[in-house]
Amino acid sequence: MAMVPTKGNLIIAKNTLALSKTGYGLLDKKRNILSREMMNLTDAAKALQSKIESTFTNAYSALEQANIDIGIETVEKIGYAMAVEDSLEIKFRSVMGVEIPIVMLDEQPIKPDYGMKNTGSALDEAVVSFVKVKYLTRQLAQIETSVYRLADSIKKTQKRANALKNIMIPRYEEETKNIQNALDEKEREEFSRLKVIKSQKEKK
């Protein structure tokens, strides 16, 4: 619905237009910053995934050899005796209002939780590799969750920016133009009316 062409509405339309343009600029800036952050994390995730795959491959290869060397039952018993990881902690940092997780894990020096009797180097290698996988997986979980949150925020930001750019800004540019034109026309009519009145008075 068009606004009534008054000076008050002209001020409202101009202010709304200015706010919409400022809002669009801020949203565009936010989107660019979030996109840069996401691209950096995406590159890091690719590198980590490759590292995890190779570490997993080494770990399973060493585990298979350990099963052959000391037997599956012995490996299972050692596995059940391994300490449970309970040092995981999650904090957050904000990037343009988006809460990005920081997954913290106490990285201790790798020490075997089993005796040297009836074990071998293959088991040691498997343990070391799986511990590395744990730390790498922590990093990957942090990065992938961050990427997901950033992508979701970018999508919402883009949607709001598009609404301002394609709907609000054109609408209030048109409203401002129409109200200004109507007021100018009204002013010209008033000027002409006063001119006529003045001319009639002069004739009298």
Side-chain angles (χ1 to χ4, degrees):
M1 184 177 177
M3 299 174 74
V4 178
T6 64
K7 288 184 178 180
N9 281 341
L10 179 61
I11 292 170
I12 291 171
K14 283 183 175 180
N15 287 342
T16 304
L17 177 60
L19 284 172
S20 296
K21 287 181 176 179
T22 301
Y24 174 75
L26 291 172
L27 288 172
D28 192 49
K29 182 181 178 182
K30 177 180 179 179
R31 181 191 58 196
N32 289 334
I33 291 171
L34 294 180
S35 295
R36 263 198 314 273
E37 183 79 14
M38 190 178 76
M39 290 303 295
N40 290 337
L41 289 174
T42 301
D43 292 340
K46 288 177 183 176
L48 265 177
Q49 283 170 338
S50 176
K51 202 170 182 180
I52 287 175
E53 285 175 12
S54 63
T55 309
F56 253 129
T57 300
N58 292 338
Y60 278 114
S61 178
L63 184 62
E64 286 177 2
Q65 189 59 50
N67 287 335
I68 294 169
D69 292 347
I70 62 176
I72 294 176
E73 284 188 15
T74 303
V75 172
E76 283 184 350
K77 286 177 182 177
I78 291 171
Y80 287 126
M82 298 290 284
V84 175
E85 178 59 66
D86 61 357
S87 68
L88 193 70
E89 186 181 356
I90 301 176
K91 294 184 178 181
F92 294 91
R93 66 184 177 93
S94 179
V95 178
M96 298 296 289
V98 182
E99 293 291 294
I100 301 299
I102 301 173
V103 183
M104 304 174 74
L105 191 61
D106 190 12
E107 297 192 20
Q108 297 287 346
I110 300 172
K111 296 178 181 178
D113 292 337
Y114 51 86
M116 297 297 104
K117 187 180 179 182
N118 298 326
T119 61
S121 60
L123 180 64
D124 295 340
E125 188 179 341
V127 170
V128 169
S129 295
F130 277 116
V131 170
K132 285 180 181 177
V133 166
K134 176 177 67 176
Y135 294 142
L136 290 170
T137 302
R138 185 270 305 173
Q139 294 177 47
L140 186 61
Q142 173 181 305
I143 289 172
E144 287 188 337
T145 303
S146 299
V147 168
Y148 173 80
R149 291 189 174 193
L150 287 167
D152 185 56
S153 183
I154 289 168
K155 184 179 178 182
K156 290 176 181 176
T157 302
Q158 182 68 57
K159 190 174 181 180
R160 289 197 293 268
N162 286 344
L164 287 173
K165 182 181 178 182
N166 300 322
I167 299 173
M168 294 296 288
I169 291 174
R171 174 187 168 185
Y172 281 96
E173 282 178 340
E174 187 68 20
E175 286 282 7
T176 301
K177 180 183 174 183
N178 290 341
I179 292 173
Q180 187 65 63
N181 288 341
L183 289 176
D184 289 346
E185 180 63 28
K186 189 176 180 182
E187 192 174 317
R188 284 192 294 271
E189 287 176 358
E190 184 65 17
F191 179 76
S192 297
R193 190 179 70 82
L194 290 173
K195 197 174 180 182
V196 169
I197 291 172
K198 184 180 178 182
S199 178
Q200 288 175 345
K201 284 182 178 180
E202 287 175 352
K203 286 179 181 178
K204 287 181 181 180

PDB file of all heavy atoms in Angstrom, residues 92-118:
ATOM      1  N   PHE A  92      33.298 -21.978  23.028  1.00  0.00           N
ATOM      2  CA  PHE A  92      32.831 -21.329  21.801  1.00  0.00           C
ATOM      3  C   PHE A  92      33.510 -19.982  21.600  1.00  0.00           C
ATOM      4  O   PHE A  92      33.911 -19.320  22.549  1.00  0.00           O
ATOM      5  CB  PHE A  92      31.309 -21.125  21.843  1.00  0.00           C
ATOM      6  CG  PHE A  92      30.525 -22.401  21.839  1.00  0.00           C
ATOM      7  CD1 PHE A  92      30.168 -23.014  23.024  1.00  0.00           C
ATOM      8  CD2 PHE A  92      30.163 -22.997  20.636  1.00  0.00           C
ATOM      9  CE1 PHE A  92      29.452 -24.206  23.024  1.00  0.00           C
ATOM     10  CE2 PHE A  92      29.446 -24.184  20.623  1.00  0.00           C
ATOM     11  CZ  PHE A  92      29.093 -24.784  21.823  1.00  0.00           C
ATOM     12  N   ARG A  93      33.664 -19.617  20.337  1.00  0.00           N
ATOM     13  CA  ARG A  93      34.103 -18.279  19.975  1.00  0.00           C
ATOM     14  C   ARG A  93      33.105 -17.725  18.969  1.00  0.00           C
ATOM     15  O   ARG A  93      32.432 -18.490  18.263  1.00  0.00           O
ATOM     16  CB  ARG A  93      35.517 -18.300  19.364  1.00  0.00           C
ATOM     17  CG  ARG A  93      35.632 -18.999  18.023  1.00  0.00           C
ATOM     18  CD  ARG A  93      37.072 -19.039  17.554  1.00  0.00           C
ATOM     19  NE  ARG A  93      37.220 -19.775  16.299  1.00  0.00           N
ATOM     20  CZ  ARG A  93      37.202 -19.210  15.097  1.00  0.00           C
ATOM     21  NH1 ARG A  93      37.050 -17.897  15.002  1.00  0.00           N
ATOM     22  NH2 ARG A  93      37.349 -19.923  14.004  1.00  0.00           N
ATOM     23  N   SER A  94      32.993 -16.410  18.941  1.00  0.00           N
ATOM     24  CA  SER A  94      31.994 -15.786  18.067  1.00  0.00           C
ATOM     25  C   SER A  94      32.646 -15.161  16.845  1.00  0.00           C
ATOM     26  O   SER A  94      33.632 -14.439  16.953  1.00  0.00           O
ATOM     27  CB  SER A  94      31.230 -14.719  18.859  1.00  0.00           C
ATOM     28  OG  SER A  94      30.277 -14.094  18.030  1.00  0.00           O
ATOM     29  N   VAL A  95      32.099 -15.493  15.678  1.00  0.00           N
ATOM     30  CA  VAL A  95      32.530 -14.877  14.422  1.00  0.00           C
ATOM     31  C   VAL A  95      31.306 -14.185  13.823  1.00  0.00           C
ATOM     32  O   VAL A  95      30.405 -14.839  13.323  1.00  0.00           O
ATOM     33  CB  VAL A  95      33.093 -15.918  13.429  1.00  0.00           C
ATOM     34  CG1 VAL A  95      33.476 -15.244  12.107  1.00  0.00           C
ATOM     35  CG2 VAL A  95      34.290 -16.646  14.014  1.00  0.00           C
ATOM     36  N   MET A  96      31.264 -12.858  13.941  1.00  0.00           N
ATOM     37  CA  MET A  96      30.119 -12.077  13.443  1.00  0.00           C
ATOM     38  C   MET A  96      28.796 -12.627  13.980  1.00  0.00           C
ATOM     39  O   MET A  96      27.815 -12.769  13.254  1.00  0.00           O
ATOM     40  CB  MET A  96      30.099 -12.076  11.910  1.00  0.00           C
ATOM     41  CG  MET A  96      31.295 -11.434  11.262  1.00  0.00           C
ATOM     42  SD  MET A  96      31.460  -9.675  11.624  1.00  0.00           S
ATOM     43  CE  MET A  96      30.116  -8.973  10.686  1.00  0.00           C
ATOM     44  N   GLY A  97      28.799 -12.978  15.285  1.00  0.00           N
ATOM     45  CA  GLY A  97      27.572 -13.456  15.909  1.00  0.00           C
ATOM     46  C   GLY A  97      27.319 -14.948  15.769  1.00  0.00           C
ATOM     47  O   GLY A  97      26.344 -15.466  16.328  1.00  0.00           O
ATOM     48  N   VAL A  98      28.163 -15.653  15.037  1.00  0.00           N
ATOM     49  CA  VAL A  98      28.004 -17.104  14.866  1.00  0.00           C
ATOM     50  C   VAL A  98      28.882 -17.813  15.899  1.00  0.00           C
ATOM     51  O   VAL A  98      30.085 -17.582  15.969  1.00  0.00           O
ATOM     52  CB  VAL A  98      28.402 -17.563  13.444  1.00  0.00           C
ATOM     53  CG1 VAL A  98      28.175 -19.060  13.288  1.00  0.00           C
ATOM     54  CG2 VAL A  98      27.619 -16.791  12.400  1.00  0.00           C
ATOM     55  N   GLU A  99      28.259 -18.672  16.707  1.00  0.00           N
ATOM     56  CA  GLU A  99      28.996 -19.402  17.733  1.00  0.00           C
ATOM     57  C   GLU A  99      29.756 -20.579  17.110  1.00  0.00           C
ATOM     58  O   GLU A  99      29.151 -21.532  16.630  1.00  0.00           O
ATOM     59  CB  GLU A  99      28.034 -19.920  18.810  1.00  0.00           C
ATOM     60  CG  GLU A  99      27.379 -18.820  19.643  1.00  0.00           C
ATOM     61  CD  GLU A  99      28.384 -18.113  20.546  1.00  0.00           C
ATOM     62  OE1 GLU A  99      28.903 -18.741  21.459  1.00  0.00           O
ATOM     63  OE2 GLU A  99      28.639 -16.913  20.303  1.00  0.00           O
ATOM     64  N   ILE A 100      31.079 -20.473  17.125  1.00  0.00           N
ATOM     65  CA  ILE A 100      31.942 -21.503  16.549  1.00  0.00           C
ATOM     66  C   ILE A 100      32.539 -22.338  17.684  1.00  0.00           C
ATOM     67  O   ILE A 100      33.132 -21.790  18.615  1.00  0.00           O
ATOM     68  CB  ILE A 100      33.081 -20.861  15.721  1.00  0.00           C
ATOM     69  CG1 ILE A 100      32.505 -20.001  14.599  1.00  0.00           C
ATOM     70  CG2 ILE A 100      34.002 -21.929  15.161  1.00  0.00           C
ATOM     71  CD1 ILE A 100      31.659 -20.742  13.607  1.00  0.00           C
ATOM     72  N   PRO A 101      32.397 -23.677  17.632  1.00  0.00           N
ATOM     73  CA  PRO A 101      32.898 -24.511  18.730  1.00  0.00           C
ATOM     74  C   PRO A 101      34.422 -24.630  18.736  1.00  0.00           C
ATOM     75  O   PRO A 101      35.063 -24.639  17.693  1.00  0.00           O
ATOM     76  CB  PRO A 101      32.259 -25.875  18.451  1.00  0.00           C
ATOM     77  CG  PRO A 101      32.052 -25.898  16.974  1.00  0.00           C
ATOM     78  CD  PRO A 101      31.734 -24.475  16.592  1.00  0.00           C
ATOM     79  N   ILE A 102      34.973 -24.699  19.937  1.00  0.00           N
ATOM     80  CA  ILE A 102      36.383 -25.013  20.126  1.00  0.00           C
ATOM     81  C   ILE A 102      36.411 -26.303  20.952  1.00  0.00           C
ATOM     82  O   ILE A 102      36.073 -26.290  22.143  1.00  0.00           O
ATOM     83  CB  ILE A 102      37.128 -23.888  20.873  1.00  0.00           C
ATOM     84  CG1 ILE A 102      37.030 -22.577  20.096  1.00  0.00           C
ATOM     85  CG2 ILE A 102      38.585 -24.260  21.097  1.00  0.00           C
ATOM     86  CD1 ILE A 102      37.583 -21.380  20.847  1.00  0.00           C
ATOM     87  N   VAL A 103      36.733 -27.404  20.297  1.00  0.00           N
ATOM     88  CA  VAL A 103      36.752 -28.704  20.968  1.00  0.00           C
ATOM     89  C   VAL A 103      38.144 -28.929  21.551  1.00  0.00           C
ATOM     90  O   VAL A 103      39.120 -29.039  20.818  1.00  0.00           O
ATOM     91  CB  VAL A 103      36.384 -29.848  19.988  1.00  0.00           C
ATOM     92  CG1 VAL A 103      36.336 -31.184  20.735  1.00  0.00           C
ATOM     93  CG2 VAL A 103      35.041 -29.566  19.319  1.00  0.00           C
ATOM     94  N   MET A 104      38.198 -28.978  22.870  1.00  0.00           N
ATOM     95  CA  MET A 104      39.480 -29.110  23.550  1.00  0.00           C
ATOM     96  C   MET A 104      39.653 -30.538  24.082  1.00  0.00           C
ATOM     97  O   MET A 104      38.733 -31.126  24.641  1.00  0.00           O
ATOM     98  CB  MET A 104      39.573 -28.099  24.698  1.00  0.00           C
ATOM     99  CG  MET A 104      39.352 -26.663  24.239  1.00  0.00           C
ATOM    100  SD  MET A 104      39.283 -25.491  25.609  1.00  0.00           S
ATOM    101  CE  MET A 104      41.018 -25.426  26.052  1.00  0.00           C
ATOM    102  N   LEU A 105      40.839 -31.076  23.882  1.00  0.00           N
ATOM    103  CA  LEU A 105      41.162 -32.423  24.325  1.00  0.00           C
ATOM    104  C   LEU A 105      42.572 -32.409  24.885  1.00  0.00           C
ATOM    105  O   LEU A 105      43.500 -31.923  24.239  1.00  0.00           O
ATOM    106  CB  LEU A 105      41.065 -33.402  23.141  1.00  0.00           C
ATOM    107  CG  LEU A 105      41.105 -34.890  23.443  1.00  0.00           C
ATOM    108  CD1 LEU A 105      39.937 -35.297  24.333  1.00  0.00           C
ATOM    109  CD2 LEU A 105      41.069 -35.697  22.147  1.00  0.00           C
ATOM    110  N   ASP A 106      42.717 -32.903  26.090  1.00  0.00           N
ATOM    111  CA  ASP A 106      44.020 -32.898  26.756  1.00  0.00           C
ATOM    112  C   ASP A 106      44.950 -33.900  26.066  1.00  0.00           C
ATOM    113  O   ASP A 106      44.800 -35.111  26.233  1.00  0.00           O
ATOM    114  CB  ASP A 106      43.832 -33.260  28.236  1.00  0.00           C
ATOM    115  CG  ASP A 106      45.108 -33.031  29.042  1.00  0.00           C
ATOM    116  OD1 ASP A 106      46.029 -32.393  28.503  1.00  0.00           O
ATOM    117  OD2 ASP A 106      45.177 -33.509  30.187  1.00  0.00           O
ATOM    118  N   GLU A 107      45.875 -33.379  25.274  1.00  0.00           N
ATOM    119  CA  GLU A 107      46.781 -34.253  24.518  1.00  0.00           C
ATOM    120  C   GLU A 107      48.009 -34.603  25.369  1.00  0.00           C
ATOM    121  O   GLU A 107      48.957 -33.833  25.446  1.00  0.00           O
ATOM    122  CB  GLU A 107      47.191 -33.580  23.200  1.00  0.00           C
ATOM    123  CG  GLU A 107      46.016 -33.346  22.260  1.00  0.00           C
ATOM    124  CD  GLU A 107      46.453 -32.946  20.861  1.00  0.00           C
ATOM    125  OE1 GLU A 107      47.622 -33.205  20.507  1.00  0.00           O
ATOM    126  OE2 GLU A 107      45.621 -32.379  20.128  1.00  0.00           O
ATOM    127  N   GLN A 108      47.926 -35.760  25.977  1.00  0.00           N
ATOM    128  CA  GLN A 108      49.018 -36.240  26.812  1.00  0.00           C
ATOM    129  C   GLN A 108      50.015 -37.041  25.971  1.00  0.00           C
ATOM    130  O   GLN A 108      49.667 -37.557  24.908  1.00  0.00           O
ATOM    131  CB  GLN A 108      48.461 -37.137  27.939  1.00  0.00           C
ATOM    132  CG  GLN A 108      47.518 -36.429  28.907  1.00  0.00           C
ATOM    133  CD  GLN A 108      48.263 -35.488  29.833  1.00  0.00           C
ATOM    134  OE1 GLN A 108      49.494 -35.533  29.937  1.00  0.00           O
ATOM    135  NE2 GLN A 108      47.532 -34.609  30.502  1.00  0.00           N
ATOM    136  N   PRO A 109      51.264 -37.158  26.449  1.00  0.00           N
ATOM    137  CA  PRO A 109      52.223 -38.037  25.765  1.00  0.00           C
ATOM    138  C   PRO A 109      51.666 -39.459  25.702  1.00  0.00           C
ATOM    139  O   PRO A 109      51.035 -39.926  26.663  1.00  0.00           O
ATOM    140  CB  PRO A 109      53.469 -37.973  26.666  1.00  0.00           C
ATOM    141  CG  PRO A 109      53.333 -36.695  27.409  1.00  0.00           C
ATOM    142  CD  PRO A 109      51.865 -36.469  27.608  1.00  0.00           C
ATOM    143  N   ILE A 110      51.857 -40.115  24.579  1.00  0.00           N
ATOM    144  CA  ILE A 110      51.285 -41.454  24.388  1.00  0.00           C
ATOM    145  C   ILE A 110      52.084 -42.481  25.202  1.00  0.00           C
ATOM    146  O   ILE A 110      53.270 -42.698  24.967  1.00  0.00           O
ATOM    147  CB  ILE A 110      51.280 -41.841  22.895  1.00  0.00           C
ATOM    148  CG1 ILE A 110      50.450 -40.827  22.107  1.00  0.00           C
ATOM    149  CG2 ILE A 110      50.706 -43.240  22.706  1.00  0.00           C
ATOM    150  CD1 ILE A 110      50.542 -40.993  20.610  1.00  0.00           C
ATOM    151  N   LYS A 111      51.384 -43.083  26.191  1.00  0.00           N
ATOM    152  CA  LYS A 111      52.008 -44.120  27.021  1.00  0.00           C
ATOM    153  C   LYS A 111      51.126 -45.364  26.987  1.00  0.00           C
ATOM    154  O   LYS A 111      49.902 -45.260  27.130  1.00  0.00           O
ATOM    155  CB  LYS A 111      52.144 -43.643  28.470  1.00  0.00           C
ATOM    156  CG  LYS A 111      53.075 -42.451  28.653  1.00  0.00           C
ATOM    157  CD  LYS A 111      53.119 -42.019  30.103  1.00  0.00           C
ATOM    158  CE  LYS A 111      54.026 -40.807  30.292  1.00  0.00           C
ATOM    159  NZ  LYS A 111      54.041 -40.349  31.707  1.00  0.00           N
ATOM    160  N   PRO A 112      51.701 -46.531  26.820  1.00  0.00           N
ATOM    161  CA  PRO A 112      50.892 -47.757  26.778  1.00  0.00           C
ATOM    162  C   PRO A 112      50.265 -48.062  28.144  1.00  0.00           C
ATOM    163  O   PRO A 112      50.894 -47.877  29.178  1.00  0.00           O
ATOM    164  CB  PRO A 112      51.899 -48.831  26.372  1.00  0.00           C
ATOM    165  CG  PRO A 112      53.229 -48.291  26.781  1.00  0.00           C
ATOM    166  CD  PRO A 112      53.133 -46.813  26.620  1.00  0.00           C
ATOM    167  N   ASP A 113      48.981 -48.486  28.119  1.00  0.00           N
ATOM    168  CA  ASP A 113      48.288 -48.867  29.354  1.00  0.00           C
ATOM    169  C   ASP A 113      48.378 -50.377  29.581  1.00  0.00           C
ATOM    170  O   ASP A 113      47.524 -50.967  30.243  1.00  0.00           O
ATOM    171  CB  ASP A 113      46.806 -48.446  29.272  1.00  0.00           C
ATOM    172  CG  ASP A 113      46.648 -46.933  29.290  1.00  0.00           C
ATOM    173  OD1 ASP A 113      47.557 -46.254  29.788  1.00  0.00           O
ATOM    174  OD2 ASP A 113      45.620 -46.443  28.799  1.00  0.00           O
ATOM    175  N   TYR A 114      49.375 -50.994  29.031  1.00  0.00           N
ATOM    176  CA  TYR A 114      49.517 -52.452  29.134  1.00  0.00           C
ATOM    177  C   TYR A 114      50.996 -52.790  29.317  1.00  0.00           C
ATOM    178  O   TYR A 114      51.879 -51.994  29.010  1.00  0.00           O
ATOM    179  CB  TYR A 114      48.967 -53.125  27.871  1.00  0.00           C
ATOM    180  CG  TYR A 114      49.526 -52.549  26.584  1.00  0.00           C
ATOM    181  CD1 TYR A 114      50.728 -53.007  26.045  1.00  0.00           C
ATOM    182  CD2 TYR A 114      48.849 -51.533  25.917  1.00  0.00           C
ATOM    183  CE1 TYR A 114      51.243 -52.468  24.880  1.00  0.00           C
ATOM    184  CE2 TYR A 114      49.359 -50.982  24.748  1.00  0.00           C
ATOM    185  CZ  TYR A 114      50.548 -51.462  24.235  1.00  0.00           C
ATOM    186  OH  TYR A 114      51.064 -50.923  23.079  1.00  0.00           O
ATOM    187  N   GLY A 115      51.245 -53.969  29.814  1.00  0.00           N
ATOM    188  CA  GLY A 115      52.623 -54.417  30.023  1.00  0.00           C
ATOM    189  C   GLY A 115      53.267 -54.861  28.718  1.00  0.00           C
ATOM    190  O   GLY A 115      52.597 -55.038  27.698  1.00  0.00           O
ATOM    191  N   MET A 116      54.558 -55.030  28.777  1.00  0.00           N
ATOM    192  CA  MET A 116      55.298 -55.424  27.574  1.00  0.00           C
ATOM    193  C   MET A 116      55.224 -56.926  27.294  1.00  0.00           C
ATOM    194  O   MET A 116      55.530 -57.384  26.202  1.00  0.00           O
ATOM    195  CB  MET A 116      56.770 -55.017  27.713  1.00  0.00           C
ATOM    196  CG  MET A 116      57.003 -53.513  27.824  1.00  0.00           C
ATOM    197  SD  MET A 116      56.488 -52.593  26.349  1.00  0.00           S
ATOM    198  CE  MET A 116      54.952 -51.852  26.910  1.00  0.00           C
ATOM    199  N   LYS A 117      54.791 -57.693  28.322  1.00  0.00           N
ATOM    200  CA  LYS A 117      54.730 -59.142  28.163  1.00  0.00           C
ATOM    201  C   LYS A 117      53.596 -59.515  27.218  1.00  0.00           C
ATOM    202  O   LYS A 117      52.489 -59.006  27.296  1.00  0.00           O
ATOM    203  CB  LYS A 117      54.524 -59.804  29.531  1.00  0.00           C
ATOM    204  CG  LYS A 117      54.609 -61.325  29.489  1.00  0.00           C
ATOM    205  CD  LYS A 117      54.387 -61.903  30.876  1.00  0.00           C
ATOM    206  CE  LYS A 117      54.440 -63.434  30.821  1.00  0.00           C
ATOM    207  NZ  LYS A 117      54.186 -64.036  32.144  1.00  0.00           N
ATOM    208  N   ASN A 118      53.879 -60.419  26.327  1.00  0.00           N
ATOM    209  CA  ASN A 118      52.881 -60.940  25.368  1.00  0.00           C
ATOM    210  C   ASN A 118      52.323 -59.871  24.425  1.00  0.00           C
ATOM    211  O   ASN A 118      51.209 -59.992  23.927  1.00  0.00           O
ATOM    212  CB  ASN A 118      51.716 -61.627  26.095  1.00  0.00           C
ATOM    213  CG  ASN A 118      52.165 -62.816  26.904  1.00  0.00           C
ATOM    214  OD1 ASN A 118      53.106 -63.534  26.513  1.00  0.00           O
ATOM    215  ND2 ASN A 118      51.522 -63.046  28.047  1.00  0.00           N
TER     216      ASN A 118
END
